[in-house]
Amino acid sequence: MVEQDLTIEPGSTIGIMGGGQLGRMIALAASNLGYRIAVFCESEDDPATQVCQKAVIAPFNDFLALKKFTSMADVITFEFENVPAEAANFLEAHSLVRPKPKVLAIAQDRILEKTFLNEIGIETAPWAQINQADHISRAMLSLGHDAIFKTARFGYDGKGQATIRGDQALLDTWIAAGKPPSIAEGIVDFACEISVIIARGLDGKTQCYDIAENQHRNHILDTTIAPGRVDFEISEQAKIIAEKIANSLSLVGLIAIEMFVTKDRRILVNEIAPRPHNSGHWTIDACVTSQFEQLVRAICGLPLGSPQRHSNALMRNLLGKDVERWPQIIADGENKLHLYGKRGAPPGRKMGHVTRLFPLSPSWDSVTLDTAMTSIRENS
Ligand code: AMP
């Protein structure tokens, strides 16, 4: 049995499940605080393994390898939520795991996730579960003619998703996907998409970043605008929702909550991710404490850092071949370029990101923002 209120001091080893760019940036932030890093991932040249001291390269269901990993790490965290539940539970039985696997289990299944949110009184898009064919017409009855089909598990960046019109289309989509447990969700005519990132420490104290606004391209995050263009009331409401979610999960760690703001000013939660999030990359360059350092502080039982923003920021993802423009991006000394060390840039792959800082302000002047958006799009 592992002591749950343990503080993990600098010099100890943090284990990260997953080797992607989030793991890489967690490792870099942890290194700054004097921690060592062990990474568990499936491929030797993953972005996080390039910056860690130890790595275990094995499939996530290799229990011998997982056991070896627990002997290397003083605390284990996740950089992505699709680590199989059996692996997460095994780790918890042998090591200190933060956040707890039950948080991961909720986040990796849209049915559990939406049920949890609705049960604690948080509004989502209307949705209906589809486990069998006769759920389909009932789903369409409750949602109307058009809906978004989403597989319950292993969907990200729009994968496992389709917009469908009518119950025959929904049935066809579900069958074509292999009849997995799924949901149909009403299409939200949103005014904007925002995300809130909140950390919760061992002592239950929380720290929330300013609300960010997200723009997507082909269902993948393209640009984050921080602060988001929402008024004080929406921003406070969004933070209250985030705090409720973090507390209800008894989270020790950091969670990103994606939300839709509807045209009639309602906030609907779309997704939760109990880890650093792409829409929080701007915090590296624009905040006192980045989301990555904040996660490290939370899981090590250290006091949380200030999430205060010292600049306005725009973050743009470099997807696929966008990365080939790195020479011109870096030639502009105002750009903060982050590359993830990935080889091969198929369309849509997250290869890096670029952040641009602007003078601190509680909101954006629309001319400044338009010019900045044009500039970050042309230059990156
Ligand atoms: P998700 O994988 O659920 O985060 O969805 C990816 C993106 O698809 C979201 O950020 C939205 O831009 C869009 N999307 C997802 N669900 C809905 C919905 N119910 N209504 C409208 N747009 C949606």
Side-chain angles (χ1 to χ4, degrees):
M1 202 48 209
V2 181
E3 215 184 314
Q4 289 304 322
D5 59 354
L6 203 63
T7 297
I8 307 298
E9 295 187 355
S12 310
T13 299
I14 298 175
I16 302 173
M17 289 297 287
Q21 65 271 13
L22 298 175
R24 180 186 179 100
M25 290 184 272
I26 297 168
L28 293 172
S31 299
N32 279 339
L33 285 174
Y35 289 96
R36 290 162 194 279
I37 301 296
V39 169
F40 190 111
C41 63
E42 297 191 320
S43 146
E44 208 159 288
D45 194 36
D46 277 357
T49 58
Q50 298 165 19
V51 299
C52 70
Q53 286 76 38
K54 298 176 207 162
V56 176
I57 312 297
F60 287 114
N61 58 4
D62 180 338
F63 289 89
L64 269 182
L66 288 168
K67 184 80 184 40
K68 181 172 163 204
F69 191 59
T70 59
S71 69
M72 293 176 173
D74 298 294
V75 60
I76 294 176
T77 196
F78 305 93
E79 67 110 39
F80 80 131
E81 58 267 22
N82 285 329
V83 172
E86 308 75 52
N89 292 332
F90 178 87
L91 292 173
E92 197 186 30
H94 295 89
S95 187
L96 181 61
V97 177
R98 291 175 179 155
K100 289 196 158 293
K102 76 157 206 252
V103 176
L104 211 64
I106 292 173
Q108 66 186 205
D109 184 310
R110 290 187 195 272
I111 297 168
L112 294 182
E113 180 181 59
K114 289 190 193 292
T115 305
F116 158 74
L117 291 167
N118 296 158
E119 276 177 5
I120 62 167
I122 288 174
E123 204 179 350
T124 56
W127 65 282
Q129 189 170 335
I130 299 162
N131 285 337
Q132 52 195 64
D134 67 0
H135 288 166
I136 305 251
S137 42
R138 264 191 284 151
M140 287 323 254
L141 260 182
S142 65
L143 300 174
H145 191 254
D146 300 340
I148 296 190
F149 168 88
K150 297 181 179 181
T151 52
R153 299 170 69 84
F154 304 118
Y156 65 95
D157 289 345
K159 292 188 177 67
Q161 263 187 44
T163 303
I164 32 146
R165 305 192 189 280
D167 48 1
Q168 186 57 46
L170 177 51
L171 182 62
D172 294 346
T173 309
W174 183 64
I175 292 170
K179 301 185 183 174
S182 305
I183 63 167
E185 201 174 285
I187 297 177
V188 180
D189 183 20
F190 50 79
C192 67
E193 291 188 73
I194 59 173
S195 56
V196 186
I197 294 178
I198 188 165
R200 187 171 178 278
L202 254 191
D203 55 4
K205 289 197 180 131
T206 57
Q207 288 286 8
C208 191
Y209 288 92
D210 280 347
I211 275 60
E213 177 182 345
N214 301 315
Q215 298 188 343
H216 292 78
R217 219 186 338 163
N218 304 323
H219 295 278
I220 304 176
L221 182 65
D222 180 70
T223 308
T224 296
I225 304 167
R229 290 167 296 170
V230 288
D231 59 34
F232 181 75
E233 198 187 322
I234 294 280
S235 149
E236 287 304 293
Q237 252 181 28
K239 287 183 179 175
I240 290 170
I241 291 173
E243 180 132 14
K244 188 169 191 183
I245 292 173
N247 286 333
S248 303
L249 292 169
S250 304
L251 181 81
V252 176
L254 177 131
I255 190 164
I257 300 147
E258 293 179 42
M259 305 172 179
F260 299 126
V261 181
T262 65
K263 291 180 177 152
D264 59 354
R265 299 179 57 79
R266 285 179 305 141
I267 298 180
L268 310 179
V269 171
N270 178 37
E271 230 175 26
I272 61 176
R275 52 163 172 79
H277 194 259
N278 194 169
S279 67
H281 290 357
W282 61 276
T283 63
I284 301 175
D285 296 307
C287 294
V288 174
T289 311
S290 75
Q291 62 165 347
F292 300 101
E293 179 181 335
Q294 198 72 297
L295 171 75
V296 171
R297 286 169 174 257
I299 62 171
C300 290
L302 305 179
L304 297 180
S306 163
Q308 202 183 330
R309 186 168 56 80
H310 53 68
S311 304
N312 284 15
L314 286 186
M315 186 287 308
R316 180 147 203 250
N317 270 336
L318 300 174
L319 301 176
K321 292 205 176 306
D322 291 349
V323 73
E324 290 173 3
R325 291 203 293 274
W326 71 265
Q328 79 201 53
I329 296 170
I330 209 163
D332 180 340
E334 298 294 320
N335 285 333
K336 300 286 292 182
L337 177 64
H338 301 255
L339 297 176
Y340 306 149
K342 293 182 184 176
R343 289 183 218 283
R349 189 171 195 211
K350 290 175 179 169
M351 303 299 293
H353 70 267
V354 55
T355 303
R356 223 168 149 115
L357 300 179
F358 301 87
L360 181 67
S361 144
S363 59
W364 289 88
D365 160 76
S366 61
V367 177
T368 310
L369 182 61
D370 284 351
T371 314
M373 291 286 273
T374 308
S375 145
I376 202 166
R377 293 217 155 113
E378 278 169 2
N379 292 328
S380 61

